[in-house]
Amino acid sequence: MTSDTPDDPGRDGPARQVCPICGKAAAEKYRPFCSSRCADVDLNRWLTGAYAIPVTEDDDEDGEEPTLSPAPPSER
Ligand SMILES: [Zn+2]
């Protein structure tokens, strides 16, 4: 008879994580963070980054754009 169980409950799998904010052990309730505070910090960072993205996309209008190609050397 084989009494070998493939699923060992005593084993710690990838469920164990560390808070990316402070590096502490993450809480199952606030995974992957350790607390709601750290989760909020991460969310704030995310929002800040999301808001910073459209800034580079402000050059979509046909306005005064810098000369991409160099002007001809001989033109009078
Ligand atoms: Zn934390």
Side-chain angles (χ1 to χ4, degrees):
M1 298 279 176
T2 48
S3 54
D4 229 307
T5 38
D7 222 356
D8 211 315
R11 240 187 190 170
D12 215 46
R16 199 161 198 177
Q17 279 182 294
V18 286
C19 180
I21 304 300
C22 64
K24 279 185 185 178
E28 214 172 296
K29 195 177 178 182
Y30 302 108
R31 274 190 305 169
F33 308 102
C34 69
S35 60
S36 59
R37 183 163 286 196
C38 277
D40 211 60
V41 172
D42 187 76
L43 183 74
N44 239 296
R45 282 187 191 179
W46 217 87
L47 286 172
T48 311
Y51 274 121
I53 289 169
V55 172
T56 44
E57 267 193 273
D58 209 51
D59 217 64
D60 211 45
E61 266 180 55
D62 223 40
E64 279 178 78
E65 51 181 71
T67 41
L68 284 168
S69 47
S74 53
E75 205 198 62
R76 292 195 175 177

Short mmCIF file of all heavy atoms in Angstrom, two decimals:
data_model
loop_
_atom_site.label_atom_id
_atom_site.label_comp_id
_atom_site.label_asym_id
_atom_site.label_seq_id
_atom_site.Cartn_x
_atom_site.Cartn_y
_atom_site.Cartn_z
N MET A 1 0.84 -1.21 0.00
CA MET A 1 0.00 0.00 0.00
C MET A 1 0.87 1.26 0.00
O MET A 1 1.91 1.31 0.62
CB MET A 1 -0.87 0.00 1.27
CG MET A 1 -1.81 -1.19 1.32
SD MET A 1 -3.24 -0.93 0.33
CE MET A 1 -4.03 -2.51 0.52
N THR A 2 0.40 2.22 -0.69
CA THR A 2 1.21 3.46 -0.75
C THR A 2 0.48 4.59 -0.01
O THR A 2 -0.63 4.96 -0.35
CB THR A 2 1.44 3.87 -2.21
OG1 THR A 2 0.20 3.82 -2.88
CG2 THR A 2 2.42 2.96 -2.89
N SER A 3 1.12 5.08 0.96
CA SER A 3 0.50 6.17 1.73
C SER A 3 1.21 7.49 1.43
O SER A 3 1.60 8.22 2.31
CB SER A 3 0.56 5.84 3.22
OG SER A 3 1.90 5.57 3.55
N ASP A 4 1.38 7.71 0.14
CA ASP A 4 2.09 8.94 -0.24
C ASP A 4 1.10 9.96 -0.81
O ASP A 4 0.44 9.70 -1.81
CB ASP A 4 3.14 8.61 -1.29
CG ASP A 4 4.47 9.23 -0.91
OD1 ASP A 4 4.49 10.43 -0.65
OD2 ASP A 4 5.46 8.48 -0.86
N THR A 5 1.00 11.07 -0.20
CA THR A 5 0.08 12.10 -0.70
C THR A 5 0.84 13.13 -1.53
O THR A 5 1.84 13.68 -1.06
CB THR A 5 -0.61 12.82 0.48
OG1 THR A 5 0.33 12.97 1.52
CG2 THR A 5 -1.78 12.01 0.99
N PRO A 6 0.39 13.34 -2.75
CA PRO A 6 1.07 14.30 -3.64
C PRO A 6 0.95 15.73 -3.11
O PRO A 6 1.81 16.56 -3.33
CB PRO A 6 0.32 14.16 -4.97
CG PRO A 6 -0.99 13.51 -4.62
CD PRO A 6 -0.80 12.76 -3.34
N ASP A 7 -0.11 15.99 -2.43
CA ASP A 7 -0.31 17.35 -1.92
C ASP A 7 0.04 17.39 -0.44
O ASP A 7 -0.70 16.92 0.40
CB ASP A 7 -1.77 17.76 -2.12
CG ASP A 7 -1.86 19.20 -2.59
OD1 ASP A 7 -0.81 19.86 -2.68
OD2 ASP A 7 -2.98 19.65 -2.84
N ASP A 8 1.17 17.93 -0.15
CA ASP A 8 1.58 18.00 1.25
C ASP A 8 1.15 19.34 1.86
O ASP A 8 1.61 20.39 1.43
CB ASP A 8 3.10 17.86 1.32
CG ASP A 8 3.48 17.18 2.62
OD1 ASP A 8 2.92 17.58 3.66
OD2 ASP A 8 4.31 16.26 2.61
N PRO A 9 0.26 19.29 2.81
CA PRO A 9 -0.22 20.53 3.44
C PRO A 9 0.86 21.19 4.29
O PRO A 9 0.79 22.38 4.59
CB PRO A 9 -1.39 20.06 4.31
CG PRO A 9 -1.15 18.60 4.56
CD PRO A 9 -0.36 18.09 3.36
N GLY A 10 1.82 20.40 4.68
CA GLY A 10 2.87 20.97 5.54
C GLY A 10 3.91 21.74 4.74
O GLY A 10 4.76 22.41 5.29
N ARG A 11 3.79 21.67 3.44
CA ARG A 11 4.79 22.35 2.62
C ARG A 11 4.37 23.79 2.35
O ARG A 11 3.19 24.07 2.10
CB ARG A 11 4.94 21.60 1.30
CG ARG A 11 6.39 21.14 1.16
CD ARG A 11 6.62 20.54 -0.21
NE ARG A 11 7.91 19.88 -0.28
CZ ARG A 11 8.26 19.12 -1.31
NH1 ARG A 11 7.42 18.91 -2.27
NH2 ARG A 11 9.44 18.59 -1.36
N ASP A 12 5.35 24.66 2.33
CA ASP A 12 5.03 26.06 2.05
C ASP A 12 5.33 26.37 0.59
O ASP A 12 6.48 26.36 0.16
CB ASP A 12 5.86 26.97 2.96
CG ASP A 12 5.04 28.19 3.34
OD1 ASP A 12 3.87 28.02 3.71
OD2 ASP A 12 5.56 29.31 3.27
N GLY A 13 4.28 26.63 -0.17
CA GLY A 13 4.46 26.88 -1.61
C GLY A 13 4.72 28.34 -1.90
O GLY A 13 5.16 29.09 -1.03
N PRO A 14 4.39 28.74 -3.13
CA PRO A 14 4.61 30.12 -3.56
C PRO A 14 3.64 31.09 -2.91
O PRO A 14 3.63 32.27 -3.19
CB PRO A 14 4.38 30.07 -5.07
CG PRO A 14 3.52 28.85 -5.29
CD PRO A 14 3.81 27.91 -4.18
N ALA A 15 2.79 30.56 -2.04
CA ALA A 15 1.79 31.43 -1.39
C ALA A 15 2.49 32.45 -0.50
O ALA A 15 1.96 33.50 -0.19
CB ALA A 15 0.83 30.60 -0.57
N ARG A 16 3.70 32.13 -0.11
CA ARG A 16 4.42 33.04 0.78
C ARG A 16 5.02 34.17 -0.04
O ARG A 16 5.80 33.97 -0.96
CB ARG A 16 5.52 32.28 1.50
CG ARG A 16 5.96 33.02 2.73
CD ARG A 16 6.69 32.06 3.67
NE ARG A 16 6.76 32.58 5.00
CZ ARG A 16 7.29 31.88 6.00
NH1 ARG A 16 7.73 30.68 5.77
NH2 ARG A 16 7.36 32.38 7.17
N GLN A 17 4.67 35.38 0.31
CA GLN A 17 5.20 36.53 -0.42
C GLN A 17 5.68 37.59 0.55
O GLN A 17 5.32 37.59 1.72
CB GLN A 17 4.11 37.11 -1.31
CG GLN A 17 3.96 36.35 -2.61
CD GLN A 17 2.89 36.98 -3.48
OE1 GLN A 17 1.72 36.99 -3.15
NE2 GLN A 17 3.29 37.53 -4.58
N VAL A 18 6.42 38.51 0.02
CA VAL A 18 6.88 39.61 0.86
C VAL A 18 6.35 40.92 0.30
O VAL A 18 6.23 41.09 -0.91
CB VAL A 18 8.42 39.65 0.91
CG1 VAL A 18 8.95 38.53 1.78
CG2 VAL A 18 9.00 39.61 -0.47
N CYS A 19 6.05 41.81 1.17
CA CYS A 19 5.50 43.10 0.76
C CYS A 19 6.52 43.85 -0.10
O CYS A 19 7.65 44.05 0.32
CB CYS A 19 5.15 43.91 2.01
SG CYS A 19 4.47 45.51 1.59
N PRO A 20 6.13 44.23 -1.33
CA PRO A 20 7.05 44.94 -2.23
C PRO A 20 7.33 46.36 -1.74
O PRO A 20 8.20 47.04 -2.26
CB PRO A 20 6.30 44.96 -3.56
CG PRO A 20 4.87 44.77 -3.22
CD PRO A 20 4.81 44.01 -1.92
N ILE A 21 6.56 46.80 -0.76
CA ILE A 21 6.74 48.16 -0.27
C ILE A 21 7.75 48.21 0.86
O ILE A 21 8.71 48.97 0.83
CB ILE A 21 5.39 48.73 0.21
CG1 ILE A 21 4.37 48.65 -0.90
CG2 ILE A 21 5.56 50.15 0.72
CD1 ILE A 21 4.73 49.43 -2.14
N CYS A 22 7.54 47.37 1.87
CA CYS A 22 8.43 47.42 3.03
C CYS A 22 9.26 46.15 3.16
O CYS A 22 10.22 46.12 3.90
CB CYS A 22 7.61 47.66 4.29
SG CYS A 22 6.48 46.32 4.65
N GLY A 23 8.88 45.10 2.42
CA GLY A 23 9.68 43.88 2.45
C GLY A 23 9.28 42.94 3.57
O GLY A 23 9.91 41.92 3.79
N LYS A 24 8.22 43.27 4.27
CA LYS A 24 7.77 42.39 5.35
C LYS A 24 6.94 41.24 4.77
O LYS A 24 6.55 41.27 3.61
CB LYS A 24 6.91 43.20 6.32
CG LYS A 24 7.77 43.98 7.28
CD LYS A 24 6.88 44.67 8.29
CE LYS A 24 7.70 45.57 9.21
NZ LYS A 24 6.84 46.27 10.16
N ALA A 25 6.66 40.28 5.61
CA ALA A 25 5.83 39.16 5.18
C ALA A 25 4.44 39.66 4.82
O ALA A 25 3.82 40.40 5.58
CB ALA A 25 5.75 38.13 6.29
N ALA A 26 3.99 39.25 3.65
CA ALA A 26 2.69 39.73 3.18
C ALA A 26 1.56 39.03 3.92
O ALA A 26 1.65 37.86 4.25
CB ALA A 26 2.56 39.48 1.69
N ALA A 27 0.50 39.76 4.15
CA ALA A 27 -0.66 39.19 4.82
C ALA A 27 -1.62 38.62 3.78
O ALA A 27 -1.80 39.21 2.71
CB ALA A 27 -1.35 40.27 5.64
N GLU A 28 -2.21 37.50 4.14
CA GLU A 28 -3.11 36.86 3.16
C GLU A 28 -4.27 37.77 2.80
O GLU A 28 -4.84 37.70 1.73
CB GLU A 28 -3.65 35.57 3.76
CG GLU A 28 -3.86 34.51 2.69
CD GLU A 28 -4.21 33.18 3.32
OE1 GLU A 28 -3.39 32.62 4.04
OE2 GLU A 28 -5.33 32.73 3.07
N LYS A 29 -4.61 38.64 3.71
CA LYS A 29 -5.75 39.53 3.48
C LYS A 29 -5.39 40.68 2.54
O LYS A 29 -6.24 41.23 1.85
CB LYS A 29 -6.21 40.09 4.83
CG LYS A 29 -7.60 40.72 4.73
CD LYS A 29 -8.07 41.21 6.10
CE LYS A 29 -9.42 41.89 5.99
NZ LYS A 29 -9.86 42.39 7.31
N TYR A 30 -4.12 41.03 2.54
CA TYR A 30 -3.73 42.19 1.72
C TYR A 30 -2.68 41.80 0.69
O TYR A 30 -1.88 42.64 0.27
CB TYR A 30 -3.17 43.29 2.62
CG TYR A 30 -4.15 43.74 3.67
CD1 TYR A 30 -3.97 43.42 5.01
CD2 TYR A 30 -5.25 44.50 3.30
CE1 TYR A 30 -4.87 43.84 5.97
CE2 TYR A 30 -6.15 44.92 4.27
CZ TYR A 30 -5.96 44.58 5.60
OH TYR A 30 -6.84 45.00 6.54
N ARG A 31 -2.65 40.53 0.34
CA ARG A 31 -1.66 40.10 -0.64
C ARG A 31 -1.66 41.00 -1.85
O ARG A 31 -2.72 41.42 -2.32
CB ARG A 31 -1.96 38.66 -1.06
CG ARG A 31 -1.33 37.67 -0.11
CD ARG A 31 -1.43 36.28 -0.65
NE ARG A 31 -2.81 35.94 -0.96
CZ ARG A 31 -3.14 34.85 -1.65
NH1 ARG A 31 -2.22 34.02 -2.06
NH2 ARG A 31 -4.39 34.60 -1.93
N PRO A 32 -0.48 41.25 -2.45
CA PRO A 32 0.80 40.76 -1.93
C PRO A 32 1.42 41.72 -0.92
O PRO A 32 2.62 41.69 -0.72
CB PRO A 32 1.65 40.67 -3.20
CG PRO A 32 1.15 41.81 -4.03
CD PRO A 32 -0.30 42.05 -3.65
N PHE A 33 0.61 42.53 -0.32
CA PHE A 33 1.15 43.50 0.64
C PHE A 33 0.97 43.00 2.06
O PHE A 33 0.27 42.03 2.31
CB PHE A 33 0.45 44.84 0.46
CG PHE A 33 0.47 45.31 -0.97
CD1 PHE A 33 -0.65 45.17 -1.77
CD2 PHE A 33 1.61 45.85 -1.51
CE1 PHE A 33 -0.64 45.58 -3.08
CE2 PHE A 33 1.65 46.26 -2.83
CZ PHE A 33 0.52 46.13 -3.62
N CYS A 34 1.59 43.68 2.99
CA CYS A 34 1.53 43.24 4.38
C CYS A 34 0.35 43.91 5.08
O CYS A 34 -0.15 43.42 6.08
CB CYS A 34 2.84 43.57 5.07
SG CYS A 34 3.10 45.33 5.32
N SER A 35 -0.08 45.04 4.55
CA SER A 35 -1.19 45.74 5.19
C SER A 35 -1.88 46.62 4.17
O SER A 35 -1.37 46.86 3.07
CB SER A 35 -0.67 46.58 6.36
OG SER A 35 0.24 47.52 5.87
N SER A 36 -3.03 47.13 4.56
CA SER A 36 -3.78 47.98 3.63
C SER A 36 -3.01 49.26 3.34
O SER A 36 -3.15 49.88 2.30
CB SER A 36 -5.14 48.31 4.23
OG SER A 36 -4.97 48.98 5.46
N ARG A 37 -2.20 49.65 4.29
CA ARG A 37 -1.42 50.88 4.10
C ARG A 37 -0.44 50.73 2.95
O ARG A 37 -0.31 51.58 2.09
CB ARG A 37 -0.67 51.20 5.39
CG ARG A 37 0.08 52.50 5.28
CD ARG A 37 0.46 52.98 6.65
NE ARG A 37 -0.69 53.51 7.36
CZ ARG A 37 -0.61 54.28 8.44
NH1 ARG A 37 0.58 54.59 8.93
NH2 ARG A 37 -1.65 54.74 9.03
N CYS A 38 0.30 49.62 2.98
CA CYS A 38 1.28 49.38 1.92
C CYS A 38 0.57 49.24 0.58
O CYS A 38 1.06 49.69 -0.45
CB CYS A 38 2.09 48.14 2.25
SG CYS A 38 3.45 48.49 3.38
N ALA A 39 -0.60 48.62 0.60
CA ALA A 39 -1.36 48.47 -0.64
C ALA A 39 -1.74 49.84 -1.18
O ALA A 39 -1.72 50.09 -2.39
CB ALA A 39 -2.61 47.64 -0.38
N ASP A 40 -2.06 50.74 -0.27
CA ASP A 40 -2.43 52.08 -0.68
C ASP A 40 -1.22 52.82 -1.26
O ASP A 40 -1.32 53.55 -2.23
CB ASP A 40 -2.95 52.84 0.55
CG ASP A 40 -4.00 53.86 0.14
OD1 ASP A 40 -5.02 53.45 -0.44
OD2 ASP A 40 -3.78 55.05 0.39
N VAL A 41 -0.09 52.58 -0.65
CA VAL A 41 1.14 53.22 -1.14
C VAL A 41 1.43 52.79 -2.57
O VAL A 41 1.76 53.60 -3.44
CB VAL A 41 2.32 52.86 -0.23
CG1 VAL A 41 3.63 53.34 -0.83
CG2 VAL A 41 2.13 53.48 1.15
N ASP A 42 1.28 51.49 -2.79
CA ASP A 42 1.55 50.97 -4.14
C ASP A 42 0.54 51.54 -5.13
O ASP A 42 0.88 51.94 -6.24
CB ASP A 42 1.46 49.45 -4.10
CG ASP A 42 1.90 48.87 -5.43
OD1 ASP A 42 3.12 48.84 -5.66
OD2 ASP A 42 1.04 48.46 -6.22
N LEU A 43 -0.71 51.63 -4.69
CA LEU A 43 -1.75 52.15 -5.58
C LEU A 43 -1.44 53.60 -5.94
O LEU A 43 -1.61 54.03 -7.09
CB LEU A 43 -3.10 52.04 -4.87
CG LEU A 43 -4.28 52.48 -5.75
CD1 LEU A 43 -4.57 51.43 -6.80
CD2 LEU A 43 -5.53 52.69 -4.90
N ASN A 44 -0.98 54.32 -4.96
CA ASN A 44 -0.65 55.73 -5.20
C ASN A 44 0.49 55.85 -6.22
O ASN A 44 0.46 56.68 -7.11
CB ASN A 44 -0.22 56.38 -3.88
CG ASN A 44 -1.12 57.55 -3.54
OD1 ASN A 44 -1.15 58.54 -4.26
ND2 ASN A 44 -1.86 57.45 -2.47
N ARG A 45 1.45 54.97 -6.06
CA ARG A 45 2.58 55.00 -7.01
C ARG A 45 2.07 54.69 -8.41
O ARG A 45 2.48 55.28 -9.39
CB ARG A 45 3.60 53.94 -6.59
CG ARG A 45 4.45 54.41 -5.43
CD ARG A 45 5.54 53.38 -5.18
NE ARG A 45 6.24 53.64 -3.94
CZ ARG A 45 7.21 52.88 -3.48
NH1 ARG A 45 7.55 51.80 -4.15
NH2 ARG A 45 7.82 53.16 -2.39
N TRP A 46 1.17 53.73 -8.44
CA TRP A 46 0.64 53.31 -9.75
C TRP A 46 -0.10 54.47 -10.40
O TRP A 46 0.09 54.77 -11.58
CB TRP A 46 -0.31 52.13 -9.52
CG TRP A 46 -0.20 51.13 -10.61
CD1 TRP A 46 0.67 50.09 -10.69
CD2 TRP A 46 -0.98 51.10 -11.81
NE1 TRP A 46 0.45 49.41 -11.87
CE2 TRP A 46 -0.54 50.00 -12.57
CE3 TRP A 46 -2.02 51.90 -12.33
CZ2 TRP A 46 -1.11 49.67 -13.81
CZ3 TRP A 46 -2.56 51.56 -13.56
CH2 TRP A 46 -2.11 50.46 -14.27
N LEU A 47 -0.94 55.13 -9.62
CA LEU A 47 -1.72 56.23 -10.18
C LEU A 47 -0.80 57.36 -10.64
O LEU A 47 -0.96 57.94 -11.69
CB LEU A 47 -2.68 56.74 -9.11
CG LEU A 47 -3.86 55.79 -8.86
CD1 LEU A 47 -4.67 56.27 -7.68
CD2 LEU A 47 -4.76 55.70 -10.08
N THR A 48 0.19 57.64 -9.82
CA THR A 48 1.14 58.71 -10.18
C THR A 48 1.82 58.39 -11.50
O THR A 48 2.01 59.25 -12.34
CB THR A 48 2.19 58.85 -9.07
OG1 THR A 48 1.53 58.94 -7.82
CG2 THR A 48 3.02 60.09 -9.28
N GLY A 49 2.19 57.12 -11.65
CA GLY A 49 2.87 56.73 -12.88
C GLY A 49 1.92 56.80 -14.06
O GLY A 49 2.29 57.21 -15.15
N ALA A 50 0.67 56.44 -13.83
CA ALA A 50 -0.32 56.45 -14.92
C ALA A 50 -0.58 57.88 -15.39
O ALA A 50 -0.81 58.13 -16.56
CB ALA A 50 -1.61 55.81 -14.44
N TYR A 51 -0.52 58.79 -14.43
CA TYR A 51 -0.77 60.19 -14.79
C TYR A 51 0.42 60.80 -15.52
O TYR A 51 0.30 61.76 -16.25
CB TYR A 51 -1.04 60.99 -13.52
CG TYR A 51 -2.49 60.94 -13.11
CD1 TYR A 51 -2.88 60.44 -11.89
CD2 TYR A 51 -3.47 61.39 -14.00
CE1 TYR A 51 -4.20 60.39 -11.51
CE2 TYR A 51 -4.79 61.33 -13.63
CZ TYR A 51 -5.16 60.83 -12.39
OH TYR A 51 -6.47 60.78 -12.04
N ALA A 52 1.58 60.23 -15.30
CA ALA A 52 2.79 60.79 -15.90
C ALA A 52 2.96 60.32 -17.34
O ALA A 52 3.74 60.87 -18.09
CB ALA A 52 3.99 60.38 -15.07
N ILE A 53 2.22 59.30 -17.71
CA ILE A 53 2.37 58.74 -19.05
C ILE A 53 1.87 59.70 -20.15
O ILE A 53 2.59 60.00 -21.08
CB ILE A 53 1.65 57.39 -19.14
CG1 ILE A 53 2.41 56.36 -18.32
CG2 ILE A 53 1.51 56.94 -20.58
CD1 ILE A 53 1.64 55.07 -18.14
N PRO A 54 0.63 60.22 -20.04
CA PRO A 54 0.07 61.07 -21.10
C PRO A 54 0.86 62.35 -21.32
O PRO A 54 0.68 63.03 -22.31
CB PRO A 54 -1.35 61.38 -20.62
CG PRO A 54 -1.36 61.05 -19.16
CD PRO A 54 -0.30 60.01 -18.94
N VAL A 55 1.75 62.65 -20.41
CA VAL A 55 2.53 63.89 -20.55
C VAL A 55 3.38 63.84 -21.80
O VAL A 55 3.56 64.83 -22.49
CB VAL A 55 3.44 64.07 -19.31
CG1 VAL A 55 4.39 65.23 -19.53
CG2 VAL A 55 2.58 64.30 -18.07
N THR A 56 3.89 62.66 -22.12
CA THR A 56 4.76 62.53 -23.28
C THR A 56 3.93 62.52 -24.58
O THR A 56 4.46 62.69 -25.65
CB THR A 56 5.56 61.24 -23.18
OG1 THR A 56 4.68 60.20 -22.77
CG2 THR A 56 6.69 61.38 -22.19
N GLU A 57 2.63 62.31 -24.40
CA GLU A 57 1.78 62.25 -25.59
C GLU A 57 1.11 63.59 -25.85
O GLU A 57 -0.02 63.66 -26.27
CB GLU A 57 0.72 61.16 -25.40
CG GLU A 57 1.19 59.83 -25.96
CD GLU A 57 0.03 58.87 -26.06
OE1 GLU A 57 -0.27 58.17 -25.09
OE2 GLU A 57 -0.58 58.83 -27.13
N ASP A 58 1.81 64.64 -25.53
CA ASP A 58 1.24 65.97 -25.71
C ASP A 58 1.73 66.60 -27.02
O ASP A 58 1.52 67.74 -27.31
CB ASP A 58 1.66 66.85 -24.53
CG ASP A 58 0.61 67.92 -24.28
OD1 ASP A 58 -0.58 67.57 -24.17
OD2 ASP A 58 0.98 69.11 -24.22
N ASP A 59 2.43 65.80 -27.78
CA ASP A 59 2.99 66.33 -29.03
C ASP A 59 2.22 65.77 -30.22
O ASP A 59 2.78 65.46 -31.25
CB ASP A 59 4.48 65.95 -29.11
CG ASP A 59 5.28 67.09 -29.74
OD1 ASP A 59 5.33 68.15 -29.13
OD2 ASP A 59 5.82 66.88 -30.84
N ASP A 60 0.93 65.64 -30.04
CA ASP A 60 0.14 65.06 -31.12
C ASP A 60 -0.45 66.15 -32.03
O ASP A 60 -0.96 65.89 -33.09
CB ASP A 60 -0.99 64.24 -30.50
CG ASP A 60 -1.35 63.07 -31.41
OD1 ASP A 60 -0.43 62.41 -31.89
OD2 ASP A 60 -2.55 62.87 -31.65
N GLU A 61 -0.36 67.37 -31.56
CA GLU A 61 -0.94 68.46 -32.36
C GLU A 61 0.06 68.98 -33.40
O GLU A 61 1.27 68.89 -33.23
CB GLU A 61 -1.36 69.59 -31.43
CG GLU A 61 -2.84 69.43 -31.05
CD GLU A 61 -3.29 70.54 -30.12
OE1 GLU A 61 -3.10 71.70 -30.49
OE2 GLU A 61 -3.79 70.23 -29.05
N ASP A 62 -0.50 69.57 -34.44
CA ASP A 62 0.39 70.08 -35.48
C ASP A 62 0.77 71.53 -35.17
O ASP A 62 0.23 72.48 -35.74
CB ASP A 62 -0.33 69.99 -36.84
CG ASP A 62 0.62 69.47 -37.91
OD1 ASP A 62 1.39 68.55 -37.58
OD2 ASP A 62 0.58 69.99 -39.03
N GLY A 63 1.69 71.67 -34.29
CA GLY A 63 2.08 73.03 -33.91
C GLY A 63 3.53 73.31 -34.27
O GLY A 63 4.00 72.90 -35.34
N GLU A 64 4.19 73.98 -33.37
CA GLU A 64 5.59 74.30 -33.65
C GLU A 64 6.47 73.13 -33.22
O GLU A 64 6.74 72.93 -32.06
CB GLU A 64 5.98 75.55 -32.87
CG GLU A 64 5.52 76.81 -33.57
CD GLU A 64 5.88 78.04 -32.75
OE1 GLU A 64 7.04 78.45 -32.78
OE2 GLU A 64 5.00 78.57 -32.09
N GLU A 65 6.89 72.39 -34.18
CA GLU A 65 7.75 71.26 -33.85
C GLU A 65 9.18 71.55 -34.31
O GLU A 65 9.40 72.23 -35.32
CB GLU A 65 7.24 70.00 -34.53
CG GLU A 65 7.00 70.19 -36.03
CD GLU A 65 6.47 68.90 -36.64
OE1 GLU A 65 5.31 68.55 -36.36
OE2 GLU A 65 7.23 68.27 -37.37
N PRO A 66 10.11 71.01 -33.58
CA PRO A 66 11.52 71.25 -33.92
C PRO A 66 11.88 70.62 -35.25
O PRO A 66 11.30 69.62 -35.67
CB PRO A 66 12.29 70.57 -32.78
CG PRO A 66 11.31 69.60 -32.16
CD PRO A 66 9.94 70.17 -32.41
N THR A 67 12.80 71.21 -35.93
CA THR A 67 13.20 70.70 -37.25
C THR A 67 13.87 69.34 -37.10
O THR A 67 14.91 69.22 -36.48
CB THR A 67 14.19 71.67 -37.92
OG1 THR A 67 15.10 72.12 -36.91
CG2 THR A 67 13.49 72.87 -38.49
N LEU A 68 13.23 68.36 -37.67
CA LEU A 68 13.77 67.02 -37.56
C LEU A 68 14.97 66.85 -38.47
O LEU A 68 16.03 66.42 -38.08
CB LEU A 68 12.70 66.01 -37.95
CG LEU A 68 11.65 65.82 -36.85
CD1 LEU A 68 10.45 65.06 -37.36
CD2 LEU A 68 12.26 65.09 -35.64
N SER A 69 14.80 67.27 -39.75
CA SER A 69 15.91 67.14 -40.68
C SER A 69 16.76 68.42 -40.70
O SER A 69 16.22 69.51 -40.64
CB SER A 69 15.36 66.88 -42.09
OG SER A 69 14.32 67.79 -42.34
N PRO A 70 18.04 68.27 -40.74
CA PRO A 70 18.94 69.44 -40.77
C PRO A 70 18.75 70.28 -42.03
O PRO A 70 18.55 69.75 -43.13
CB PRO A 70 20.35 68.82 -40.73
CG PRO A 70 20.18 67.40 -41.20
CD PRO A 70 18.75 67.00 -40.84
N ALA A 71 18.81 71.57 -41.86
CA ALA A 71 18.62 72.47 -43.01
C ALA A 71 19.77 72.29 -44.01
O ALA A 71 20.89 71.95 -43.63
CB ALA A 71 18.59 73.90 -42.53
N PRO A 72 19.46 72.53 -45.29
CA PRO A 72 20.50 72.38 -46.30
C PRO A 72 21.64 73.33 -46.02
O PRO A 72 21.44 74.48 -45.65
CB PRO A 72 19.77 72.77 -47.61
CG PRO A 72 18.48 73.40 -47.20
CD PRO A 72 18.17 72.87 -45.83
N PRO A 73 22.87 72.89 -46.27
CA PRO A 73 24.07 73.70 -45.98
C PRO A 73 24.20 74.89 -46.93
O PRO A 73 24.65 75.96 -46.56
CB PRO A 73 25.22 72.71 -46.18
CG PRO A 73 24.67 71.61 -47.03
CD PRO A 73 23.17 71.58 -46.79
N SER A 74 23.74 74.72 -48.16
CA SER A 74 23.91 75.84 -49.11
C SER A 74 22.55 76.29 -49.59
O SER A 74 21.97 75.68 -50.48
CB SER A 74 24.80 75.40 -50.30
OG SER A 74 24.24 74.22 -50.84
N GLU A 75 22.04 77.37 -48.99
CA GLU A 75 20.76 77.88 -49.43
C GLU A 75 20.69 79.38 -49.15
O GLU A 75 20.61 79.82 -48.04
CB GLU A 75 19.63 77.15 -48.70
CG GLU A 75 18.35 77.21 -49.54
CD GLU A 75 17.13 76.92 -48.71
OE1 GLU A 75 16.86 77.68 -47.78
OE2 GLU A 75 16.45 75.94 -49.00
N ARG A 76 20.69 80.18 -50.21
CA ARG A 76 20.69 81.64 -50.02
C ARG A 76 19.58 82.30 -50.78
O ARG A 76 19.39 81.97 -51.93
CB ARG A 76 22.01 82.19 -50.51
CG ARG A 76 23.10 81.72 -49.60
CD ARG A 76 24.35 82.53 -49.85
NE ARG A 76 25.33 82.12 -48.87
CZ ARG A 76 26.57 82.62 -48.86
NH1 ARG A 76 26.92 83.52 -49.73
NH2 ARG A 76 27.40 82.23 -47.99
ZN ZN B 1 4.37 46.43 3.77
#
